[in-house]
Amino acid sequence: MNIYAEFHARIAAILRRFAGEGRLPAGLDPARFVVEPPRDASLGDLACNAAMVFARDVKAFYADPRQLATELAFELAQEPDVEQAEVAGPGFLNIRLKKAVFGEILRAVLRQGADFGRGAAEPPAGQKARLTAKKVNVEYVSANPTGPMHVGHGRGAVFGDALASLMEFAGSEVTREYYINDAGAQVDVLARSAFLRYREALGETITVPDGLYPGDYLKPVGAALAAKYGASLRDKPESEWLEPVRAIAIDAMMDMIRDDLAALNITHEVFFSERSLHDSRNGLSDVEAALEELRARGLIYEGRLPPPKGQLPEDWEDREQTLFRSTQFGDDVDRPLKKSDGAFTYFASDIAYHRKKIEGGYDVLVDVWGADHGGYVKRMSAAVEALSGGETTLDVKLCQMVKLMRDGEPVKMSKRSGDFVTLREVVDEVGVDAVRFMMLYRKNDAPLEFDLARVIEQSKDNPVFYVQYAHARAHSVLRQALAAFPDLDVAPAALAAADLSLLEDENELALIGLLAQYPRIIESAAAAHEPHRLAFYLHDLASLFHSHWNRGKDQPQLRFVNQDRRDLTCARLGLVTGLITILASGLSVLGVKAPDEMR
């Protein structure tokens, strides 16, 4: 039951009827208006901006949007579940529901349980929504396979995983993908670093020079190389040992990365190798095939780029290049596809990679990148538009840096990695739930300070504790009720049959109103690709519950368990169980546990 979608559909139907009667122009797009909670709860339960949104479209019929809003208010006031509909300001519509509706909403939560809000991506009749596209590819993490993951990787990992779960819950078919950057110069540096550890495993004393990876995590790789090859590689030229050492080192690093991700309960269905894009099949590699396709459509040419503005970079070359016409699709400048030595650029490989995704039939591609890749977004969006003819949507989500703190002081170093704190060290110290929730309790493109001491505090200032404690506290209410009424059936189905009209306190109704928002939160967060909206919502729900609990300390008549009123206790337990249902559901989507008890 999505009360917002329900009233959106009703208002859209009224507008269509008005158009059929000649009172409005035909073809007004219902996707343009919203039904949402009013900013001021005292104004009602629902708010709609339809009259304001269509003000210009209906000028020939209504000189003032308030006139249309007044007619909509009149129509809605006739609905049996509407207490009042009135116009506010220049044409906003505020709707107050009858109290019986709140009981029906709670009953729907109790009956649908974990499925309440599921599949909310299906839009109301006549409304277009971004998630009418059902097949989605979310590519996230994609860290270079050169060492353990750091905390910054963790933010993108948690964001991508939570977004994939959110979109699945909202009704999309989602593939989780990891792009292995195993074709660039960085993996050659990895191989050289591993070879140094191989020599160390053979008994040499080594010093790690600048430019190689210094972390202790490569010692097991060196030992594995020594066990497999003995001393046979030591005196060979690099041209002979580089490829086998690189392959073993990459495999070892990917095993480490998968293990780090598993510690965060993150798995991917697809691991795609960049190197495979350069393998020839039928005479052409995937990179060459992608560029041939674009060339055939006149989107690749040989030309010169204007020099960049300001001081020229040291590596700037004024030369004829192979260029992609990305400016034709909104980019600032056409983009090179080959380096001066004839090798393909990273962009050429990324074009081929995204072509493979498009061939996979995905309607929406979501790429989760670090903020330092922001300058790459326009060219990649241009490539996807060109390759798909505009049929596939690419949304690049940039994750800002994570500043790791301990009691307000920066934490920077790790013996394991050599120069940064690893993600695994953080997970081992504070736990999966703290890492996941706090990584999602900020918008992905906002900087994040992660304080190792504060995220494990048991206080209301720690959001993950506050939300989990609400779930545990709600379970404690059920245990108290069973102590007072040992024969009470507290199963959701039984509580759904209770007289929920007894819930009359303003906070009780406000809690039900917030539970009613869950399908809308799921739908909007999934459509916007913003899982932080769900984290914020769960915190708001927990805060209102804790507030109501505290009122019961001073006003015994508001307590959830009333030994003199079994009927009222059952109704209130229905509310508590509804809260448990939504908290558990939302936390599950975010990949966070919902404990029944906390000590």
Side-chain angles (χ1 to χ4, degrees), residues 29-68:
D29 184 0
R32 291 171 56 193
F33 74 87
V34 297
V35 176
E36 59 189 357
R39 292 185 179 180
D40 182 352
S42 67
L43 297 176
D45 303 305
L46 309 172
C48 179
N49 63 349
M52 298 292 298
V53 165
F54 296 129
R56 289 187 180 181
D57 305 81
V58 304
K59 268 190 175 180
F61 300 84
Y62 299 98
D64 183 343
R66 281 186 61 91
Q67 294 175 331
L68 175 57

Side-chain angles (χ1 to χ4, degrees), residues 60-95:
F61 300 84
Y62 299 98
D64 183 343
R66 281 186 61 91
Q67 294 175 331
L68 175 57
T70 299
E71 294 202 15
L72 290 172
F74 175 80
E75 296 290 334
L76 288 169
Q78 314 309 311
E79 299 283 339
D81 49 3
V82 173
E83 182 71 33
Q84 183 182 52
E86 58 184 7
V87 181
F92 293 103
L93 188 61
N94 291 322
I95 305 163

Side-chain angles (χ1 to χ4, degrees), residues 295-513:
R295 189 183 293 277
R297 291 161 54 191
L299 296 175
I300 291 179
Y301 68 101
E302 304 300 317
R304 294 177 181 270
L305 289 175
K309 295 179 181 179
Q311 185 175 356
L312 291 180
E314 291 183 6
D315 60 352
W316 161 251
E317 294 180 88
D318 182 13
R319 62 182 178 86
E320 190 168 86
Q321 302 184 69
T322 302
L323 301 170
F324 166 59
R325 298 186 189 275
S326 52
T327 51
Q328 190 170 317
F329 303 94
D331 198 1
D332 302 320
V333 64
D334 290 344
R335 302 294 178 176
L337 298 171
K338 287 187 177 181
K339 303 174 187 177
S340 58
D341 63 2
F344 290 115
T345 61
Y346 285 119
F347 180 48
S349 297
D350 286 340
I351 288 176
Y353 173 47
H354 283 77
R355 179 173 177 256
K356 298 288 283 187
K357 292 186 188 183
I358 293 166
E359 289 173 346
Y362 295 105
D363 304 293
V364 176
L365 308 179
V366 183
D367 288 0
V368 181
W369 297 349
D372 56 337
H373 289 74
Y376 209 74
V377 174
K378 282 188 177 180
R379 73 189 70 177
M380 204 65 255
S381 298
V384 169
E385 185 177 351
L387 288 164
S388 71
E391 293 297 313
T392 302
T393 299
L394 172 66
D395 185 15
V396 178
K397 309 302 288 188
L398 299 175
C399 289
Q400 277 289 349
M401 300 261 312
V402 178
K403 191 174 183 181
L404 196 62
M405 315 287 286
R406 191 188 301 280
D407 287 323
E409 295 297 322
V411 180
K412 296 180 179 178
M413 301 296 288
S414 162
K415 289 182 180 179
R416 183 173 181 232
S417 68
D419 57 359
F420 58 83
V421 176
T422 67
L423 175 63
R424 187 59 175 268
E425 288 167 330
V426 174
V427 174
D428 289 346
E429 179 169 341
V430 303
V432 176
D433 293 339
V435 172
R436 289 190 66 111
F437 195 91
M438 294 308 297
M439 291 290 184
L440 297 167
Y441 198 61
R442 288 287 184 277
K443 195 169 186 282
N444 58 282
D445 58 3
L448 173 65
E449 283 195 1
F450 190 97
D451 195 301
L452 294 166
R454 292 175 185 167
V455 299
I456 57 174
E457 286 180 353
Q458 293 195 349
S459 75
K460 67 178 183 179
D461 296 325
N462 178 3
V464 61
F465 169 78
Y466 203 51
V467 174
Q468 288 183 315
Y469 185 45
H471 186 268
R473 176 175 263 183
H475 270 280
S476 75
V477 172
L478 298 182
R479 291 191 290 271
Q480 293 169 21
L482 289 174
F485 302 100
D487 63 331
L488 197 62
D489 186 351
V490 295
L495 296 174
D499 183 1
L500 301 178
S501 68
L502 297 174
L503 300 171
E504 296 182 317
D505 178 76
E506 61 179 1
N507 267 30
E508 293 173 338
L509 296 175
L511 273 168
I512 298 173

Side-chain angles (χ1 to χ4, degrees), residues 112-122 165 168-171 518-519 522 585:
Q112 294 176 34
D115 287 329
F116 185 77
R118 188 183 298 276
E122 288 293 345
S165 295
E168 279 181 336
F169 191 81
Y518 186 59
I522 291 291
S585 175

